[in-house]
Amino acid sequence: MSLKRTIAGTMQATLDTRRYLTNFDSRRISHILTDVLVIGSGVAGMRAAIEAARFGEVVLLCKDEFGESATRYAQGGIAAARDDGPDAQRHFEDTLRAGAGVNRPEVVRKLVDDGPARVAELIEWGIQLDRVGAGLALTKEGGHSVHRIVHALGDQTGRELVRTLRERVGEDPNIRVFEYCFLIDFVTEDGICRGAISHHPTHGHQLIWARRTILASGGCGQIWRETTNPPGSTGDGIAAAFRAGAKLCNMELMQFHPTTLYVAGAGRTLISEAVRGEGAYLVDKQGRRFLFDHHKDGELAPRDVVSRAIHEHLTKTRSNAVYLDTRHLKNFAERFPGIERLCRDFQIDTTKDLIPVRPSAHYLIGGVDVDIDTATSVDGLLCCGEASCTDVHGANRMASNSLLEGLVFGRVAGLRAGRESRDANGKSPVSTVVNVIPASTRTPLDVADIRNSLRSVMWRNAGIVRTESRLKETCEILGFWGHYVLDKTFDARAGWELQNELTVAWAVATSARKRNHSIGVHFRKDCKKATPEDFFDVILVRGDHIS
Ligand SMILES: Cc1cc2nc3c(=O)[nH]c(=O)nc-3n(C[C@H](O)[C@H](O)[C@H](O)COP(=O)(O)OP(=O)(O)OC[C@H]3O[C@@H](n4cnc5c(N)ncnc54)[C@H](O)[C@@H]3O)c2cc1C
């Protein structure tokens, strides 16, 4: 049962999405059978696979090398209470405060109460967390009232987390990992998910039949021109779930990270909030700490406040970047070796120079609508991690809560899928499924060009500051592109990713129009600020549109 607070919107038309992106005929392609299919080898997918494998066979699918994911690039750490008593209560309160008070309390409770056990389990599995003396080294980021974030290799927590989980997955004889295997669509019959159709460069199209399927495909930062997310974060799984009939929830809630390196030619690499947590200042080109003009907590104000303050400052002063001042920090290179190395590559000496930064799209708070047990609105399909919307983050995610979310709800999804697949009688069903798409009569297109344009439009019109007129324009542009992007049948990843990005971008812009107030990370310049009582869940299903 969904726990969501829905709005009754008037649905008038639709983005022209087809049920499946590809032609296939089950009589002519290879079949794979498993108890549980997991999409994604980030923290959520790997944790889910480990749990599900206690009950039966698992296939873990990932479109790149095993372990390549947003998880791998996480810097700051994993937030977890020290105990499941008073410390968990403080974590609970901080998370609700950061989320503007609209988080689902019961889901937050589960997150914080399970935190200590999930970190203890990682330690048992061999993760090398940073230590001070006999204890764990703890850091603090925006929104946290105490030091409770564990980290590894200084600023490379994600790398160590992926290494640990990969080893655990690799040792499990019940898990088969399919690398470079692209989820195209979920296969449904009578509204029930039966598995997925995938594509592998060598093996071609394959039908993977599963009693239960878990989606853990991460976020969609790539739909914005400026993003911290790796190239694979194109929202494929969210778009596939949407095509299969799953509800999407609060897709407009995208968190923009305030500080990514801004050097021409360099990728938008994140400069962790932990750098400010350890005392770095944010200054403008005159060297002034301008954040206190916007919030009493200055550099440690919530991320949305800091991102908007930088955006406003850049617009007002017509500048390209603001700066992180780390010159006064002792042991910066030891505490943040990855960031220090990155800066050095661009001839920035963190003991003498300022680091140029600006905000980027970072973390999708919305996603596939799920209940507290990770069930989506499609039977047989579960979802966890960044691809899902559990409402755990409310309107603003507190720093370092998402790796924990992946661990806690990945386990929930694996447990549920494992139990349900064990209890389901008989073999996984295999049936005849055929999908034939008529050939497109519209003009051919340049995939790379449309993709660049899409990312620019989203950054300009559906970024940190939004208005109805810009969002309406965005929906119109995306609808227009949709006519000749979504009617095509591609035979490789770039085309399917573009179709998914277009679908997800449309969902973001449409949801941003529906949320006609400002709250948390969603800032509408033309609307009033909402109180928690004004908040509602923006739910989209295939066929929705506002004109
Ligand atoms: C630079 C950076 C730093 C961060 N730092 C922190 C931090 O310090 N602490 C914190 O809590 N959070 C942090 N976050 C956020 C956090 O890393 C993510 O929210 C979290 O890792 C998401 O995990 P996930 O398992 O849901 O998805 P991901 O880790 O993104 O994994 C998604 C997986 O799905 C696969 N996939 C996607 N599409 C397909 C497809 N079509 N077919 C097959 N496979 C597919 C991908 O290959 C990948 O394996 C950071 C994020 C970034 C980008």
Side-chain angles (χ1 to χ4, degrees), residues 3 88 111 130 315 326 353 356 363 403 424 428:
L3 297 164
L111 178 87
D130 295 334
T315 311
T326 58
D353 303 320
Y363 179 85
L403 293 180
S428 298

Side-chain angles (χ1 to χ4, degrees), residues 240-539:
F242 183 65
R243 285 191 293 276
K247 290 178 182 169
L248 303 187
C249 181
N250 298 340
M251 286 295 291
E252 73 291 354
L253 297 181
M254 181 62 175
Q255 182 177 69
F256 294 88
H257 196 287
T259 54
T260 44
L261 182 67
Y262 186 70
V263 175
R268 295 289 173 263
T269 313
L270 182 78
I271 309 281
S272 168
E273 187 162 332
V275 172
R276 280 175 283 132
E278 299 284 331
Y281 306 140
L282 250 178
V283 298
D284 60 15
K285 59 185 172 199
Q286 273 76 41
R288 201 174 72 85
R289 290 174 71 183
F290 60 95
L291 277 168
F292 287 96
D293 301 346
H294 299 265
H295 198 278
K296 64 176 176 39
D297 294 338
E299 281 84 3
L300 288 183
R303 278 185 186 172
D304 61 309
V305 175
V306 180
S307 289
R308 271 198 305 281
I310 296 175
H311 178 86
E312 201 178 294
H313 200 78
L314 293 177
T315 311
K316 205 165 70 190
T317 58
R318 295 172 186 242
S319 318
N320 285 327
V322 292
Y323 302 88
L324 269 174
D325 187 350
T326 58
R327 294 173 298 184
H328 55 290
L329 298 185
K330 304 265 181 287
N331 304 328
F332 183 83
E334 274 165 46
R335 175 65 182 85
F336 301 107
I339 297 172
E340 206 274 335
R341 209 166 32 244
L342 171 77
C343 289
R344 215 171 339 114
D345 284 348
F346 292 98
Q347 294 171 350
I348 299 165
D349 177 345
T350 55
T351 62
K352 293 192 187 122
D353 303 320
L354 300 176
I355 309 172
V357 291
R358 55 184 290 170
S360 289
H362 185 54
Y363 179 85
L364 181 67
I365 292 169
V368 178
D369 187 31
V370 292
D371 67 13
I372 193 169
D373 290 322
T374 71
T376 71
S377 50
V378 173
D379 276 353
L381 180 64
L382 311 174
C383 184
C384 54
E386 193 170 336
S388 69
C389 180
T390 54
D391 275 345
V392 74
H393 304 297
N396 196 0
R397 176 189 70 122
M398 191 164 72
S400 288
N401 262 352
S402 46
L403 293 180
L404 184 64
E405 178 193 12
L407 292 168
V408 170
F409 292 99
R411 178 172 173 271
V412 170
L415 193 62
R416 180 173 174 151
R419 281 194 182 133
E420 288 182 358
S421 69
R422 180 196 58 192
D423 297 342
N425 289 328
K427 287 183 164 238
S428 298
V430 176
S431 32
T432 304
V433 203
V434 180
N435 187 58
V436 181
I437 303 166
S440 166
T441 51
R442 298 190 185 123
T443 181
L445 51 89
D446 180 338
V447 169
D449 188 47
I450 297 201
R451 185 161 185 266
N452 286 337
S453 306
L454 180 148
R455 300 178 80 214
S456 294
V457 167
M458 288 300 286
W459 184 248
R460 202 172 55 239
N461 287 357
I464 297 169
V465 175
R466 301 163 172 180
T467 60
E468 164 61 15
S469 61
R470 288 290 185 95
L471 292 168
K472 185 167 188 283
E473 180 190 69
T474 308
C475 289
E476 285 164 4
I477 294 171
L478 295 173
F480 174 68
W481 289 339
H483 282 303
Y484 56 95
V485 172
L486 297 178
D487 79 322
K488 302 278 182 300
T489 314
F490 293 99
D491 55 9
R493 171 173 167 167
W496 297 319
E497 284 183 345
L498 174 67
Q499 291 178 316
N500 290 331
E501 286 179 308
L502 189 70
T503 305
V504 169
W506 173 85
V508 169
T510 302
S511 303
R513 290 185 70 192
K514 289 190 178 199
R515 186 169 302 290
N516 53 2
H517 56 223
S518 293
I519 191 158
V521 296
H522 175 69
F523 183 70
R524 286 276 306 256
K525 202 172 150 189
D526 52 349
C527 296
K528 72 175 176 64
K529 192 167 177 217
T531 62
E533 291 68 44
D534 298 327
F535 189 80
F536 47 78
D537 281 321
V538 175
I539 301 285

